[in-house]
Amino acid sequence: MTTAFQVIEAIGLVLLSMYLAYSLCALVAQPRQPPPRRAALRFTFVIPALNEAAVIGATLRNLRAAAPDARLVVIDDGSDDGTAAEVEAVGQADPGVLLLRRALPQARTGKGEALNWGVAQLLRRGLLPDGPLGEQVLVVFDADGRLDQGLLDEAARVFADPDVMAAQARIRVRQSAVGARGWRGLLGRLLLLQQDLEFYIVRHIQLLRQRVETVGLGGNGQFMRVSYLADRLAAGQDPWPPVLLEDFASGLEVRLASPRHRLVFLESGVTQQGLTDVRRFVRQRARWTHGNLQCFPNLPRIWRTPMPLGARLDLTYFLAQPWLNLLTLGLLVYYPARALGRLLTGEVNWALTAALTLPGLILPLAWVFLYSRENRLGLRQAAFAAAGLPVYTFIMMMSVPLAFRNFLRGEHGWVKTARHAEA
């Protein structure tokens, strides 16, 4: 039994060391200056939409104000609310707004499938702006997204490098009002703040990944060169693979397609709604973890494809996250029980306990400090963010067993995130 305990604790020590090493590297990562030269690019925004009547009109108006020359394309994926009517109303006054409609049974099969279909339609029907495809960039945008003013200028600078095939904008979560009151309202505000803090940490991770050309693509603010998409479709290959994490998978395909391809992180960003309901949040995170599990079979391709060792290690660590989180869940049960047993028998090594515990406490507080400084949070808000971290982590961990259950049962259906109207 002692040997079994030693093995379990050794696994825990390895996981903690990996987490601390990776997090410290991300913590000190700094952004690069964008290139000075700006390419003359044409941008087309593609917005997959399923029952987005509450938000799509405001999003289109925001995009038109921020990107006056861009083409705006909404892919209505079989909505049964007023999404199409909202888009058509905006399009009557703006000929640069296009509506593409999918119908059942082809519709509602996943965001990636909607994007593949929509881009194929744009290419086949000649609906893209005039000019070479290599000088055009497609932007995948969420129906609740808002665009930072400097984002397209930064994108035009990084895409001046012909080897840049894709880029990901920074994501922020808007701290909108929470309708519920009492403890539900408090929990909703905690979720909003923690999601934005999480994306702040993701921003640092992306800065680290940029060093080894493994920037991860997300579902909102994803930039892709149209010539790459056209070549992919012409070869009979979908740019967005049929998995629940189609955004990351599309970036992985870019990276594996050629050693020359580059993926870049954009410091300017987009904002989006956050989730304030625990059930919806857990369902969303379970879908992301499920999609990660679907991407895991790409691991042999990563190690066969020529790329720096740092890139291989980073992608392997990302794909291993669901399994590492599952181990972490087991350890979160084991360690308190083991500690209680040692406390009762007087066998606690306090020095070792402190050495293992303090780094795991100090690092999250360092993230809260940096986030609070950037966003100019008051002491009360910063304390709320710090106190909410364990609660948020617990809620996120609830999604891991659900993701494995759905994956093992073969329940790969796509359930979109519901949104709400904002003032």
Side-chain angles (χ1 to χ4, degrees):
M1 184 63 72
T2 301
T3 303
F5 288 152
Q6 291 173 341
V7 170
I8 294 171
E9 289 165 11
I11 292 172
L13 186 60
V14 169
L15 291 179
L16 178 63
S17 301
M18 291 168 60
Y19 161 74
L20 291 176
Y22 194 82
S23 298
L24 286 171
C25 289
L27 192 69
V28 299
Q30 296 296 318
R32 295 173 175 173
Q33 289 296 321
R37 187 170 73 87
R38 187 182 190 279
L41 299 176
R42 303 297 300 272
F43 291 97
T44 297
F45 286 80
V46 175
I47 307 170
L50 173 58
N51 293 334
E52 302 287 12
V55 296
I56 192 65
T59 296
L60 290 172
R61 288 187 287 272
N62 166 264
L63 282 176
R64 179 52 73 221
D69 300 323
R71 187 153 298 184
L72 312 181
V73 180
V74 176
I75 304 172
D76 183 358
D77 197 28
S79 298
D80 51 24
D81 66 349
T83 297
E86 288 283 337
V87 177
E88 288 170 343
V90 176
Q92 286 179 357
D94 186 347
V97 174
L98 304 178
L99 174 65
L100 300 177
R101 302 187 72 173
R102 298 180 83 203
L104 295 171
Q106 285 76 28
R108 302 193 182 195
T109 54
K111 183 178 178 180
E113 284 82 351
L115 286 168
N116 290 324
W117 177 86
V119 173
Q121 292 291 312
L122 293 174
L123 289 165
R124 185 167 63 250
R125 294 165 56 183
L127 299 176
L128 290 167
D130 295 332
L133 297 184
E135 296 175 5
Q136 299 194 41
V137 174
L138 183 137
V139 188
V140 179
F141 210 68
D142 276 357
D144 63 338
R146 298 292 183 270
L147 188 72
D148 285 358
Q149 286 290 338
L151 180 57
L152 295 188
D153 180 73
E154 185 180 354
R157 295 178 188 279
V158 301
F159 276 95
D161 180 350
D163 290 335
V164 173
M165 292 296 138
Q168 176 58 46
R170 181 180 178 180
I171 297 175
R172 294 181 176 89
V173 175
R174 295 193 292 275
Q175 302 299 294
S176 55
V178 178
R181 296 183 178 182
W183 69 268
R184 290 184 183 276
L186 181 66
L187 188 56
R189 291 192 296 274
L190 183 147
L191 283 174
L192 279 181
L193 183 61
Q194 292 296 328
Q195 286 167 84
D196 195 45
L197 171 57
E198 180 187 4
F199 278 116
Y200 174 80
I201 298 171
V202 168
R203 174 241 180 184
H204 276 265
I205 293 173
Q206 293 278 47
L207 293 175
L208 175 62
R209 287 174 173 165
Q210 188 159 243
R211 301 289 175 177
V212 291
E213 305 293 346
T214 57
V215 168
L217 297 186
N220 195 13
Q222 175 188 146
F223 290 67
M224 300 190 81
R225 197 180 292 271
V226 174
S227 57
Y228 163 80
L229 297 172
D231 290 344
R232 185 98 180 163
L233 288 168
Q237 299 173 317
D238 290 335
W240 289 272
V243 296
L244 295 177
L245 202 64
E246 80 292 324
D247 42 18
F248 168 80
S250 65
L252 182 60
E253 292 299 327
V254 172
R255 189 68 182 82
L256 296 176
S258 169
R260 292 180 59 88
H261 288 173
R262 295 186 58 219
L263 294 94
V264 179
F265 179 66
L266 304 173
E267 268 290 277
S268 303
V270 299
T271 67
Q272 63 186 37
Q273 290 183 358
L275 291 172
T276 59
D277 180 82
V278 172
R279 289 185 179 180
R280 290 179 177 178
F281 177 80
V282 170
R283 193 160 54 238
Q284 179 199 67
R285 295 313 170 96
R287 186 179 78 238
W288 292 1
T289 301
H290 187 160
N292 196 324
L293 290 167
Q294 290 176 302
C295 292
F296 192 79
N298 287 298
L299 196 57
R301 293 176 62 201
I302 291 169
W303 285 90
R304 286 196 306 264
T305 302
M307 67 178 72
L309 178 61
R312 288 195 176 106
L313 291 174
D314 179 73
L315 291 170
T316 300
Y317 185 64
F318 180 84
L319 291 177
Q321 283 303 304
W323 305 94
L324 297 179
N325 287 338
L326 197 62
L327 283 173
T328 301
L329 269 178
L331 291 171
L332 288 175
V333 174
Y334 166 80
Y335 274 116
R338 182 70 169 150
L340 179 61
R342 286 180 170 173
L343 185 64
L344 293 175
T345 57
E347 299 175 2
V348 179
N349 185 332
W350 293 108
L352 179 61
T353 300
L356 293 175
T357 304
L358 286 178
L361 294 176
I362 292 173
L363 192 59
L365 293 177
W367 285 121
V368 171
F369 171 77
L370 293 174
Y371 171 77
S372 301
R373 186 175 64 178
E374 180 184 88
N375 292 277
R376 299 179 180 178
L377 299 186
L379 182 60
R380 184 176 179 179
Q381 283 183 296
F384 183 57
L389 267 174
V391 179
Y392 187 69
T393 302
F394 174 76
I395 294 172
M396 278 204 301
M397 282 297 186
M398 288 167 57
S399 69
V400 176
L402 178 61
F404 272 91
R405 189 203 68 174
N406 294 342
F407 176 74
L408 294 173
R409 287 182 175 181
E411 297 175 0
H412 306 311
W414 179 63
V415 180
K416 72 173 292 292
T417 300
R419 302 185 226 276
H420 56 274
E422 294 177 283

